[in-house]
Amino acid sequence: DAGVIQSPRHEVTEMGQEVTLRCKLISGHNSLFWYRQTMMRGLELLIYFNNNVPIDDSGMPEDRFSAKMPNASFSTLKIQPSEPRDSAVYFCASSSSRDSNNEQFFGPGTRLTVL
Amino acid sequence: AQKITQTQPGMFVQEKEAVTLDCTYDTSDPSYGLFWYKQPSSGEMIFLIYQGSYDQQNATEGRYSLNFQKARKSANLVISASQLGDSAMYFCAMRGWYSSASKIIFGSGTRLSIRP
């Protein structure tokens, strides 16, 4: 299995531009998590889905952020318009409710820089 | 509410020594799971070890063991015979089986540096 796949790995954009981050889950997993990591705030859960349904989006910073799961294996996190304070590493993780430990497998992350 | 606390922002340890990374937690869930992840400088998050709240024995995975003390609500990670490659950030995490569905909350992390 290829593991969780994220793209792009690095993104540099200018303030005001739209940014779309992509994530492909591990085959057979049914839970999807988006995290943001910064030096100041550590690892923050933004939103998570179970079986394509958003369960908890309380971590989404504001309306500029949106996340979707158009199908069971793929998700996008969109920031529109982007701001310099959005600069961070964004991780996607997936897990399976059939796994008794419910361990989350992380993707390699997308390093976002907003100038 | 659930909470994970890691009180050691950074630690330095001599190579080949054992090291204990502290983690305390708080939850009202009767059943929960505890995790440790490693994040090396390359940035990826690597799962290390898992402990269920009803497991009778402390979890072990190779050089990693989890010192689980339920009454004290602590889940310390012990790394035996530390190696230079163990230098990384280490995160303690928890999932409450009833209150938070699949959601896992993470502590603030401990940066471990191994000296040669």
Side-chain angles (χ1 to χ4, degrees), chain B residues 53-104:
Chain B
S53 60
Y54 286 106
D55 292 343
Q56 295 297 315
Q57 299 200 349
N58 286 345
T60 60
E61 288 286 347
R63 294 186 300 112
Y64 304 109
S65 61
L66 202 152
N67 184 3
F68 180 47
Q69 298 188 43
K70 195 171 182 177
R72 299 178 64 179
K73 293 189 175 181
S74 73
N76 299 340
L77 177 70
V78 180
I79 306 175
S80 62
S82 58
Q83 302 172 357
L84 296 179
D86 294 332
S87 295
M89 279 289 285
Y90 288 82
F91 293 94
C92 180
M94 176 177 68
R95 177 197 157 170
W97 293 103
Y98 296 103
S99 66
S100 59
S102 301
K103 181 177 174 179
I104 294 177

Side-chain angles (χ1 to χ4, degrees), chain A residues 5-8 20-24 34 74-77 92 110:
Chain A
I5 299 172
Q6 290 187 248
S7 64
T20 300
L21 310 181
R22 296 173 176 81
C23 175
K24 185 177 185 299
W34 281 104
F74 182 74
S75 177
T76 59
L77 178 67
C92 171
T110 294

Side-chain angles (χ1 to χ4, degrees), chain A residues 49-115:
Chain A
F49 297 80
N50 272 352
N51 297 316
N52 299 13
V53 177
I55 303 299
D56 184 350
D57 65 354
S58 59
M60 295 287 261
E62 47 200 271
D63 292 345
R64 296 184 298 107
F65 286 69
S66 62
K68 293 181 180 179
M69 278 198 77
N71 58 56
S73 60
F74 182 74
S75 177
T76 59
L77 178 67
K78 187 174 292 187
I79 309 173
Q80 167 62 21
S82 58
E83 297 182 3
R85 60 193 168 117
D86 302 330
S87 297
V89 178
Y90 290 81
F91 288 101
C92 171
S94 73
S95 68
S96 170
S97 57
R98 291 178 292 277
D99 176 2
S100 59
N101 294 351
N102 216 230
E103 168 197 344
Q104 290 184 13
F105 294 83
F106 281 73
T110 294
R111 182 174 295 277
L112 173 65
T113 303
V114 183
L115 303 174

Side-chain angles (χ1 to χ4, degrees), chain B:
Chain B
Q2 298 183 96
K3 188 177 180 182
I4 290 279
T5 302
Q6 295 180 254
T7 58
Q8 306 153 309
M11 288 185 69
F12 287 89
V13 172
Q14 203 68 32
E15 189 181 8
K16 299 182 184 176
E17 289 184 352
V19 57
T20 298
L21 305 182
D22 294 341
C23 173
T24 57
Y25 61 91
D26 193 17
T27 181
S28 56
D29 268 297
S31 179
Y32 49 90
L34 297 153
F35 306 78
W36 277 92
Y37 283 83
K38 173 184 179 181
Q39 187 178 39
S41 57
S42 51
E44 71 267 35
M45 293 283 284
I46 303 167
F47 167 75
L48 295 179
I49 195 167
Y50 169 83
Q51 177 85 43
S53 60
Y54 286 106
D55 292 343
Q56 295 297 315
Q57 299 200 349
N58 286 345
T60 60
E61 288 286 347
R63 294 186 300 112
Y64 304 109
S65 61
L66 202 152
N67 184 3
F68 180 47
Q69 298 188 43
K70 195 171 182 177
R72 299 178 64 179
K73 293 189 175 181
S74 73
N76 299 340
L77 177 70
V78 180
I79 306 175
S80 62
S82 58
Q83 302 172 357
L84 296 179
D86 294 332
S87 295
M89 279 289 285
Y90 288 82
F91 293 94
C92 180
M94 176 177 68
R95 177 197 157 170
W97 293 103
Y98 296 103
S99 66
S100 59
S102 301
K103 181 177 174 179
I104 294 177
I105 60 167
F106 286 81
S108 56
T110 296
R111 183 171 296 282
L112 176 64
S113 299
I114 307 297
R115 292 190 177 118

